[in-house]
Amino acid sequence: LENLQPEIKKLSERLRYEVSVRGKQLGWSDKVARFHFKRNLRRIITELYIRDNCHPFKATLLVWVQIPMWVFVSLALRNCSVGALNSEVKEQFSTGGTLWFTDLTAPDSTWILPVSLGLLNLLIVEIFASQKMEVSRFQKLATNFFRVLSVVMIPVAATVPSSMALYWLSSSFMGLSHNLLLRSPTFRRLCCIPRTKSDSDTPY
């Protein structure tokens, strides 16, 4: 998508000129000319997405799987920790922890898991923010929203069973690992990911 932007810009300028010439020939108003420009630009961009197989919707597909799975696993862990009808399951959770969180049914009183979760989520948000060269107003709002959400998750994680906080921390750690891995020039070359203008030889 990023590599397509210069081509889209060039085609957009050419289309603007063609619509302007055609509009003068046919006596179009500014409103009609804008309508034809936007409609044809959408068609051109769609053709480019099809040609390069990179429609923006594909980037959101994972989210539609990831969010429901995150919710369902969180609810399942909560039920196993505090709402399990089977006393054996609850007993296993109450003794199945490690280090300072030996009881997975109780919240982490040390706040180590919640604070670590908040810091990891903030780090992921900042990595995403640093990748954007030109940031729109919506992207700024979205980034600030996720920054606030990362901080709000700290007290939330401190009130839920440690099993849920541990799952959230593990999930965020995997997300951070993926982000860092995908910034590696060596890994990107191995996966044949094309270079973009925002790429860096020293991403870390």
Side-chain angles (χ1 to χ4, degrees):
L1 283 172
E2 189 178 339
N3 286 339
L4 274 179
Q5 295 316 303
E7 189 175 354
I8 288 172
K9 189 180 178 183
K10 190 177 174 183
L11 289 170
S12 171
E13 288 168 359
R14 184 174 155 192
L15 177 65
R16 194 182 299 277
Y17 171 75
E18 288 174 359
V19 168
S20 174
V21 170
R22 188 75 172 154
K24 284 174 184 173
Q25 289 173 350
L26 299 175
W28 288 346
S29 66
D30 286 346
K31 191 177 178 182
V32 172
R34 267 199 308 274
F35 168 76
H36 283 286
F37 171 75
K38 286 179 180 177
R39 189 182 67 177
N40 283 293
L41 185 62
R42 273 198 303 269
R43 178 182 54 79
I44 288 167
I45 291 172
T46 302
E47 286 172 0
L48 290 175
Y49 287 161
I50 292 167
R51 185 195 73 187
D52 288 6
N53 193 24
C54 64
H55 196 282
F57 181 71
K58 288 187 176 181
T60 67
L61 285 175
L62 185 63
V63 175
W64 299 114
V65 175
Q66 195 174 8
I67 290 176
M69 190 180 82
W70 186 88
V71 170
F72 293 142
V73 173
S74 297
L75 291 174
L77 287 169
R78 186 200 65 185
N79 292 342
C80 288
S81 300
V82 294
L85 295 174
N86 188 335
S87 58
E88 281 184 35
V89 172
K90 196 169 179 181
E91 190 181 329
Q92 286 173 359
F93 267 72
S94 62
T95 57
T98 184
L99 302 173
W100 69 93
F101 51 95
T102 51
D103 185 358
L104 292 174
T105 64
D108 181 10
S109 57
T110 64
W111 282 58
I112 294 173
L113 290 177
V115 171
S116 301
L117 172 68
L119 291 174
L120 274 181
N121 285 337
L122 274 174
L123 195 54
I124 292 168
V125 172
E126 295 310 319
I127 286 172
F128 268 113
S130 69
Q131 287 175 321
K132 306 290 182 187
M133 296 183 76
E134 293 175 15
V135 183
S136 67
R137 187 166 176 270
F138 173 76
Q139 286 171 327
K140 281 181 184 174
L141 286 170
T143 301
N144 288 329
F145 169 76
F146 284 113
R147 282 174 179 146
V148 171
L149 188 64
S150 299
V151 174
V152 168
M153 282 297 288
I154 295 173
V156 172
T159 59
V160 299
S162 294
S163 58
M164 289 175 70
L166 181 62
Y167 167 62
W168 293 347
L169 180 66
S170 305
S171 179
S172 293
F173 178 75
M174 289 305 296
L176 178 64
S177 303
H178 292 156
N179 275 296
L180 293 175
L181 188 62
L182 285 168
R183 286 175 74 89
S184 163
T186 308
F187 181 77
R188 290 173 72 87
R189 279 196 300 273
L190 280 171
C191 295
C192 302
I193 299 171
R195 279 192 70 85
T196 61
K197 200 160 64 170
S198 63
D199 278 359
S200 169
D201 293 325
T202 54
Y204 304 120

